[in-house]
Amino acid sequence: MARAHHKPLFFTDRDFQSFAGAPDPADVTAVAHESAAVLVGAGRTNSDPEVTRRLIALTDEIGLSTLAQLWSGRPAVSLPGAMWRLYTLREWVRRASVEASADYTAGIRHAQVSHAVAGSADPYGPKEIEHLVDRILEGAFTGDFAVALERAAAFCRVVASGRAERAERHDGHDDARADGEARSAALLGDTARDLTKCAAVWRIGSLD
């Protein structure tokens, strides 16, 4: 039997495209925050595992570019800013799971506390890292939202530590590559700080 009562909990590509098409800057801002709130609220009030699965894989259906139109320009410490970072992190891991796995593995010895917070289990291969990030995003819908943000931040710190180590290995041998890796590690560190701040603001009920 079709479960029609669950359909409103999931956004189609057309739904998000209509959100993203708001022309007035004030409307764009309002729609960005509204769409993030509706998405998170829908996920957190839903008890259907299939809906949760589809929310986790949202960018597989509508593309990251659609979310970028809505959320990428919002402040880092905001609900759309937090969701943008979670989905961007998932998209990157799925596109570069081998690289993410290598950096994560290298970063563990430099960030053991963050590794524990992220919740990764041995081994840390590409598939396991993809699974970890999916479970972190799942937690945003089914668990403590602040904890999910802190786990994502911890994941970023471990990967950033591994990437910084990689930059050091290339320093003096391939300076352009080393510089790029160092900048990437710094950006991941920034993302970790943003997500940590979002978690704190969520806990006091002010993340919107």
Side-chain angles (χ1 to χ4, degrees), residues 16 70 79 83 113 135 186-187 189:
F16 268 100
L70 281 168
L79 190 57
M83 294 306 295
V113 172
R135 297 291 70 78
L187 288 172

Side-chain angles (χ1 to χ4, degrees), residues 80-101:
M83 294 306 295
W84 170 243
R85 281 155 181 77
L86 290 179
Y87 276 110
T88 301
L89 183 63
R90 179 183 184 272
E91 185 76 3
W92 170 69
V93 167
R94 291 183 70 81
R95 292 182 180 183
S97 58
V98 173
E99 178 184 358
S101 172

Side-chain angles (χ1 to χ4, degrees), residues 7 13 23 26 32-33 36 39 43 49 52-54 59 67 72 74 86 108 121 136 143 147 150 152 162-163 180 192:
K7 288 181 180 178
D13 185 27
H33 290 264
L39 182 72
T52 301
R53 185 194 66 77
R54 294 183 69 190
T59 54
L67 295 186
S72 64
R74 303 314 308 144
L86 290 179
I108 290 173
I136 290 172
V147 170
E150 288 170 341
R163 188 158 300 179

Side-chain angles (χ1 to χ4, degrees), residues 181-200:
E181 290 165 345
R183 286 194 299 271
S184 179
L187 288 172
L188 279 166
D190 290 343
T191 297
R193 284 187 287 274
D194 291 339
L195 289 168
T196 300
K197 291 176 183 176
C198 285

Side-chain angles (χ1 to χ4, degrees), residues 28-155:
V28 170
T29 297
V31 164
H33 290 264
E34 177 189 354
S35 60
V38 169
L39 182 72
V40 172
R44 295 182 64 77
T45 57
N46 156 67
S47 59
D48 185 343
E50 175 62 17
V51 173
T52 301
R53 185 194 66 77
R54 294 183 69 190
L55 289 171
I56 293 168
L58 182 63
T59 54
D60 295 351
E61 294 199 25
I62 69 171
L64 189 65
S65 60
T66 300
L67 295 186
Q69 293 179 58
L70 281 168
W71 297 342
S72 64
R74 303 314 308 144
V77 184
S78 68
L79 190 57
M83 294 306 295
W84 170 243
R85 281 155 181 77
L86 290 179
Y87 276 110
T88 301
L89 183 63
R90 179 183 184 272
E91 185 76 3
W92 170 69
V93 167
R94 291 183 70 81
R95 292 182 180 183
S97 58
V98 173
E99 178 184 358
S101 172
D103 284 340
Y104 190 94
T105 301
I108 290 173
R109 66 191 181 95
H110 302 293
Q112 293 184 1
V113 172
S114 292
H115 168 52
V117 172
S120 177
D122 188 18
Y124 321 113
K127 289 300 181 184
E128 288 79 14
I129 291 298
E130 287 184 21
H131 180 75
L132 170 61
V133 173
D134 277 0
R135 297 291 70 78
I136 290 172
L137 185 52
E138 179 183 5
F141 297 118
T142 64
D144 185 319
F145 189 76
V147 170
L149 296 177
E150 288 170 341
R151 290 183 68 195
F155 178 86

